[in-house]
Amino acid sequence: MPIDSTRLEELQIVRKIRETVRRWWGIELSFTDARGMVIDHGKGIIIPPQNRICTACLGDREGLKRCNASIEKAVHKLRNGTELLGPCHMGIEIVGTPISFGGDRQGSLFACGFLVAEKAPRARDRALETVEALKLPVTQPEAAFDTIQRIEAREVPRLADLMDTTVEEIDAYHAAVALREQRISDLEDELTARYRFADIIGKSAPMRRLYDVLDKLVESDVTVLVHGENGTGKELIARALHFNGSRRQKQFVAQNCSALNDQLLESELFGHVKGSFTGATRDKPGLFKVADGGTFFLDEVADMSAAMQVKLLRVLQEGTFVPVGGTKPEKVDVRIIAASNKDLREAVLKRVFREDLFYRLHVVALEVPALRERLDDLPMLVDHFLDSVAERTGKPRKRLHSDLMATFYEYPWPGNVRELENEIERLCVLAGDTEVVPPELRAQRPDKAPGTAAHFAALVQKGLGSDLATAVTALEKEMIEAGLRDTHGNKSRLAERLGVSRTTLIKKIRDYGIAE
């Protein structure tokens, strides 16, 4: 880490000691880099000592060159601690202290433009000869020489102590900065590693195909549409694209579009101005503004209303939006990654999703395979989640009994990877201190899901002894009960599957007295 003199001069201890040295002896403290070059001079900043000789010399091109060469030669002699380094080309004293951190010499702190009082008579002739040789514009050179600051020999150790203290504080400062930057680097590495493609666990053929596409997308800003069932890890895909791409230093923002009604969602996405609606007591930036320069992940985008779809389309087409209650468009640069567990093509055909928005989102489509389609990945996923539980709880890592593992291959995992993660955590908790999780702890699931041909045939046979309305009612009730189990109580998904409205489904659940 090279010396940054601007940052060092902002340190309170450096400011205080520089002011003290200036007040007591009229001396300026300055820094050199590792080569011995005066840092301020390299920036075009020249602060001469408080005497006419040095002022004239530093104002002369050749004089400045010789002065820099004297300092460079002097600081190369430094070993440890503050030392008097001998006279400069004018015969005036230089004192310096090495600055080292990270095990390497990074530069030095030095002062010049003064004389040790006892040596002043011997330095006079050399200084006056140099003034004449360089033809410096110094009037009355002998009187000018008397303006050079004198320090008694007994004062030099005090100056050395102050300079040593300054360098010690600089060393401590750089150590703190290095530690902070290392922590930041470690956090960035952890954040990147958390979402790197290797952590999207799986080596099955469907996952390898997915990795191939992700590798091509990671450095691109192209809009991506991610398809996949609930629990397959669509947001993990979005985070991997963001944290491995060129926008990794900016914000990653995620919003589930089905979680809020239109008014709240519009305010959440685009923000609002004060007074735009009841309760809007101040301006609020929307998530698009928060994500400016970064990535915005829109989950369940198919659940957006027609009005919200129009507003999203404008952002995709023009990169602008208008906050709720606002009049002035705001421009943003955001990469959009959208996701849905519904077939958007089918939604377009049903006229519940805009075709133009579909093609704006469908630049590149990714299909995240369901867990039942990549059962080859079960061992890797199980190991990953067992490791995660052990790391989080600080307890010894468990393993699953082979019979328990065998049942995992027989289950369709409707909740996908998320369901598997929850199941592993449940098993680890119930296993207590046992190292091997026994098969007795497996979840009690029906061997066959209701709704098979045999099951419906049995229902039909059961209804033959009653009228049609009774048989239909029994079948309808059974289908709703089975569907609620399959969807884990998600009425919206079940209503869509059965082809009825959510309101109708809720009414039938209540009428049939079905337990939720």
Side-chain angles (χ1 to χ4, degrees):
M1 182 192 305
I3 290 178
D4 183 344
S5 62
T6 302
R7 292 172 69 180
L8 293 181
E9 287 165 4
E10 293 174 357
L11 292 176
Q12 185 176 8
I13 184 67
V14 174
R15 289 204 312 269
K16 290 292 186 183
I17 291 181
R18 292 184 82 173
E19 289 169 4
T20 299
V21 170
R22 187 181 298 131
R23 186 174 65 251
W24 286 0
W25 298 297
I27 296 175
E28 293 292 334
L29 295 180
S30 300
F31 298 95
T32 73
D33 61 18
R35 296 172 300 169
M37 300 299 294
V38 181
I39 294 175
D40 282 348
H41 291 183
K43 298 177 181 178
I45 302 171
I46 298 175
I47 304 175
Q50 299 173 20
N51 68 76
R52 288 163 51 196
I53 297 286
C54 289
T55 299
C57 186
L58 291 173
D60 178 78
R61 183 175 180 179
E62 180 61 23
L64 177 62
K65 180 180 177 181
R66 292 193 185 187
C67 183
N68 284 333
S70 296
I71 293 169
E72 181 178 356
K73 180 180 178 181
V75 297
H76 281 165
K77 302 176 185 176
L78 284 171
R79 294 295 178 262
N80 296 304
T82 302
E83 300 177 48
L84 273 173
L85 300 172
C88 69
H89 70 111
M90 299 286 294
I92 301 173
E93 296 289 354
I94 301 173
V95 62
T97 309
I99 299 176
S100 301
F101 42 87
D104 298 316
R105 174 74 63 83
Q106 302 295 334
S108 63
L109 176 70
F110 77 96
C112 63
F114 70 95
L115 291 167
V116 177
E118 290 81 353
K119 299 179 181 180
R122 294 195 300 273
R124 179 184 295 271
D125 292 342
R126 182 173 176 178
L128 296 179
E129 288 171 4
T130 306
V131 167
E132 183 177 354
L134 293 175
K135 295 182 172 56
L136 299 179
V138 179
T139 58
Q140 299 180 332
E142 293 190 3
F145 181 82
D146 291 334
T147 65
I148 299 174
Q149 301 294 327
R150 268 69 165 175
I151 298 180
E152 299 293 334
R154 57 187 174 82
E155 296 276 303
V156 173
R158 296 176 63 187
L159 173 61
D161 285 345
L162 289 173
M163 293 180 69
D164 284 338
T165 300
T166 304
V167 170
E168 288 170 5
E169 289 298 323
I170 290 171
D171 289 346
Y173 164 77
H174 276 97
V177 169
L179 179 60
R180 183 185 65 189
E181 291 181 348
Q182 183 60 49
R183 286 176 178 171
I184 292 172
S185 177
D186 291 344
L187 287 172
E188 288 176 346
D189 290 343
E190 180 184 347
L191 192 60
T192 301
R194 189 180 305 161
Y195 301 114
R196 69 181 185 268
F197 296 161
D199 279 349
I200 303 175
I201 305 298
K203 60 180 181 180
S204 59
M207 294 305 293
R208 289 199 300 270
R209 288 194 294 270
L210 180 61
Y211 297 152
D212 289 341
V213 180
L214 290 175
D215 285 334
K216 297 171 183 175
L217 293 177
V218 70
E219 292 299 335
S220 168
D221 275 347
V222 68
T223 302
V224 178
L225 181 61
V226 186
H227 288 286
E229 297 178 6
N230 286 334
T232 51
K234 297 187 290 296
E235 184 171 341
L236 190 64
I237 296 290
R239 288 182 179 272
L241 288 173
H242 172 77
F243 285 104
N244 289 276
S246 58
R247 295 175 179 257
R248 65 175 70 89
Q249 301 298 333
K250 300 293 184 178
Q251 288 279 4
F252 175 87
V253 178
Q255 175 61 49
N256 189 313
C257 299
S258 65
L260 302 171
N261 62 37
D262 259 19
Q263 182 180 2
L264 291 176
L265 183 60
E266 183 177 5
S267 173
E268 197 71 15
L269 295 183
F270 307 118
H272 61 252
V273 299
K274 181 180 178 180
S276 55
F277 53 84
T278 302
T281 57
R282 58 182 177 84
D283 290 353
K284 175 191 172 184
L287 293 179
F288 269 106
K289 196 67 177 177
V290 174
D292 192 15
T295 303
F296 200 163
F297 175 60
L298 292 167
D299 199 7
E300 306 300 350
V301 70
D303 292 336
M304 274 188 169
S305 69
M308 288 301 299
Q309 291 176 34
V310 172
K311 292 179 171 63
L312 176 59
L313 181 62
R314 179 175 181 178
V315 179
L316 289 169
Q317 288 178 330
E318 304 172 15
T320 63
F321 65 91
V322 178
V324 177
T327 56
K328 182 180 178 182
E330 296 190 23
K331 191 168 185 65
V332 290
D333 171 25
V334 176
R335 182 186 191 180
I336 300 293
I337 300 177
S340 176
N341 63 355
K342 299 175 182 176
D343 187 339
L344 288 188
R345 288 187 183 276
E346 185 178 340
V348 170
L349 293 175
K350 291 180 179 179
R351 298 185 180 279
V352 295
F353 198 81
R354 293 182 63 95
E355 185 175 13
D356 48 2
L357 177 57
F358 169 75
Y359 286 112
R360 281 284 178 180
L361 294 173
H362 199 271
V363 179
V364 175
L366 291 177
E367 186 71 34
V368 186
L371 182 54
R372 63 181 174 276
E373 297 169 357
R374 56 182 189 108
L375 292 178
D376 290 348
D377 294 329
L378 270 175
M380 290 182 65
L381 289 165
V382 168
D383 285 343
H384 174 72
F385 293 134
L386 287 171
D387 289 339
S388 297
V389 171
E391 182 178 352
R392 188 172 62 254
T393 61
K395 296 181 178 180
R397 184 187 182 280
K398 299 185 184 302
R399 54 190 179 89
L400 303 187
H401 191 281
S402 58
D403 291 345
L404 177 58
M405 189 68 192
T407 65
F408 281 17
Y409 287 93
E410 300 169 0
Y411 182 60
W413 299 105
N416 292 292
V417 177
R418 185 182 300 133
E419 183 182 5
L420 175 63
E421 180 180 12
N422 293 339
E423 176 65 5
I424 294 298
E425 186 159 4
R426 183 189 73 85
L427 290 169
C428 289
V429 170
L430 295 181
D433 296 330
T434 306
E435 180 186 354
V436 179
V437 181
E440 293 78 17
L441 292 179
R442 67 177 179 268
Q444 298 302 312
R445 306 184 181 103
D447 292 336
K448 292 185 179 180
T452 62
H455 181 72
F456 285 121
L459 285 175
V460 172
Q461 185 66 32
K462 186 190 300 183
L464 288 178
S466 58
D467 59 85
L468 181 60
T470 303
V472 169
T473 297
L475 178 60
E476 188 173 62
K477 179 181 178 183
E478 185 73 19
M479 288 181 68
I480 292 173
E481 288 176 336
L484 286 172
R485 286 193 294 270
D486 286 349
T487 62
H488 302 282
N490 189 320
K491 299 182 184 66
S492 297
R493 284 179 57 196
L494 180 56
E496 182 182 6
R497 179 192 296 182
L498 297 177
V500 299
S501 70
R502 191 172 187 275
T503 303
T504 300
L505 175 62
I506 292 173
K507 183 176 183 301
K508 288 182 179 293
I509 290 173
R510 186 168 56 248
D511 291 345
Y512 291 144
I514 297 173
E516 301 180 48

